[in-house]
Amino acid sequence: MEFQAALMSPIPTVASTVAIGTDCEILLEGTPPQLVVYVRRSGEQLGAITERMMILMRCIGAGFAYEAEVITTAPIRLYVRPRNPYLLGLPFTAVLSDVPAGAMLTAGDDFDLRLDSGGKVVAVDIFGSDIGRIRAEPVALADAVRGGTARRATVHDPAVPTVIVTR
């Protein structure tokens, strides 16, 4: 299934940075479920789509994946198409977000990667406690964690905080 759709509820700070040709991911998230659009390169939420929502939700629920390409920027319109599998180049540097208050990160600290109940990638310590979420490459990274090709995150710069994701 391929079609064009308007971007709904765009995030202004992210929408101002996209250009024609920007690749995006479409994920089924939330309660109630929504078709959330993320910028592939940055992992930032761009907005949502509602066109053909029910059929697209059924397809995603059946295991199909979809991506979008920005075809106009004012207003933002997307070309939605099935996503061809792509491999995430490892190692890569990513920002760790949602780090718990008081967490002490040190350069060189290693954490395991896993998927949370919502399918998001989180770094966990040896006790299984969440240390933070990795937002870059939301679909590719989740696929790599699910497939076992991305397993570790090593703290690179605790001040930012950034991690290097490896096998």
Side-chain angles (χ1 to χ4, degrees):
M1 175 172 62
E2 296 182 27
F3 61 95
Q4 292 183 15
L7 181 72
M8 306 303 292
S9 305
I11 309 298
T13 55
V14 180
S16 67
T17 67
V18 298
I20 292 173
T22 300
D23 289 323
C24 301
E25 303 294 345
I26 301 171
L27 301 178
L28 182 61
E29 297 183 333
T31 305
Q34 298 179 38
L35 295 169
V36 182
V37 178
Y38 290 91
V39 175
R40 180 177 289 167
R41 178 133 337 255
S42 68
E44 294 178 297
Q45 183 177 338
L46 179 59
I49 58 172
T50 58
E51 293 181 38
R52 302 187 189 185
M53 185 171 173
M54 296 310 291
I55 192 165
L56 198 55
M57 287 171 56
R58 282 194 299 271
C59 290
I60 291 172
F64 294 94
Y66 291 86
E67 64 186 2
E69 179 182 350
V70 174
I71 56 174
T72 65
T73 58
I76 296 177
R77 287 193 57 80
L78 306 165
Y79 177 67
V80 176
R81 62 182 175 254
R83 178 172 59 85
N84 293 319
Y86 64 95
L87 298 176
L88 181 63
L90 295 176
F92 80 94
T93 303
V95 175
L96 197 60
S97 64
D98 304 326
V99 176
M104 300 295 286
L105 299 177
T106 304
D109 286 350
D110 281 324
F111 299 103
D112 291 327
L113 298 177
R114 69 169 177 80
L115 300 179
D116 67 12
S117 60
K120 300 292 185 186
V121 177
V122 293
V124 296
D125 63 17
I126 60 172
F127 304 107
S129 299
D130 289 359
I131 296 302
R133 181 174 152 219
I134 299 176
R135 297 176 42 126
E137 303 276 1
V139 172
L141 183 54
D143 288 349
V145 170
R146 192 176 296 108
T149 58
R151 296 186 178 137
R152 308 284 296 161
T154 303
V155 176
H156 175 68
D157 181 353
V160 175
T162 56
V163 294
I164 298 174
V165 176
T166 59
R167 294 187 187 277

